[in-house]
Amino acid sequence: GDGRGMYHGLGGRLSPLDLRSRGLRTRPAEPFAHGLEDCCRAMIAQAAEAIVLTDCAGTIRIWNRGAERIFGYCAAEALGSPFTLVVPSRLRGPVRAGLRRMIACGRVADRDALFRLRAIRKGGASLYVDWSLGLIRAESDSGVGAFPLGRGSSNGAFPPGLRPPAP
């Protein structure tokens, strides 16, 4: 915290109430060897899932080890590239338009949805990735970026709870 009860993190400040509304609990920072921001960085870095942050133009700004493992691109290769780096060419336009629309309107259509989409690994091999989407907001409540979270899937079947993207 910053002494005023606000937590500075990725993309802005969050109050304890903001964190609780997102299902996160907070405790005073004293028991932690590091602050909340350091803990968030460590969670992102160590997650097995691909955690990617894009800015409003769709440029990759965060690319974690999970993304490296799933897609085969190291952070140095992915950072500064468009998110469509891992999207098959036939889906790039719709994915780019969907991310821009989500950021422009400032909301995710279905925050609880998981989508299974085909993706491309470095070298061209394809795979399916189960994605969820979130939005980073500025203090003005406008969208400033998106964070797709993904986990590699072993097949293209759609188990209960997952659905193909809307056309």
Side-chain angles (χ1 to χ4, degrees):
D2 65 2
R4 297 175 304 185
M6 298 297 284
Y7 292 88
H8 299 272
L10 302 169
R13 294 188 305 254
L14 298 173
S15 71
L17 180 61
D18 293 328
L19 293 172
R20 281 193 301 278
S21 73
R22 290 171 170 82
L24 302 172
R25 301 278 184 236
T26 62
R27 294 185 184 260
E30 294 77 37
F32 292 99
H34 302 287
L36 184 60
E37 189 169 331
D38 291 333
C39 291
C40 289
R41 284 189 175 130
M43 289 185 322
I44 290 168
Q46 296 174 36
E49 292 78 14
I51 299 177
V52 181
L53 174 68
T54 68
D55 62 19
C56 60
T59 303
I60 297 169
R61 298 298 175 197
I62 291 178
W63 184 264
N64 75 337
R65 285 187 208 138
E68 289 179 351
R69 180 184 58 78
I70 292 169
F71 298 110
Y73 292 96
C74 70
E77 294 171 297
L79 293 172
S81 298
F83 176 71
T84 54
L85 172 75
V86 298
V87 176
S89 59
R90 71 184 185 349
L91 298 175
R92 287 181 183 154
V95 167
R96 189 175 16 251
L99 283 173
R100 285 187 180 149
R101 188 172 42 253
M102 181 181 78
I103 292 168
C105 75
R107 68 179 188 82
V108 177
D110 185 353
R111 292 186 310 191
D112 296 328
L114 290 174
F115 299 98
R116 178 159 294 161
L117 296 174
R118 188 172 294 274
I120 300 295
R121 288 182 48 81
K122 181 178 178 177
S126 67
L127 73 153
Y128 284 96
V129 177
D130 299 335
W131 292 104
S132 61
L133 293 171
L135 186 67
I136 301 293
R137 298 173 187 265
E139 286 186 28
S140 65
D141 211 29
S142 62
V144 295
F147 58 95
L149 305 176
R151 177 175 283 268
S153 175
S154 60
N155 63 52
F158 289 91
L162 283 174
R163 62 179 190 228

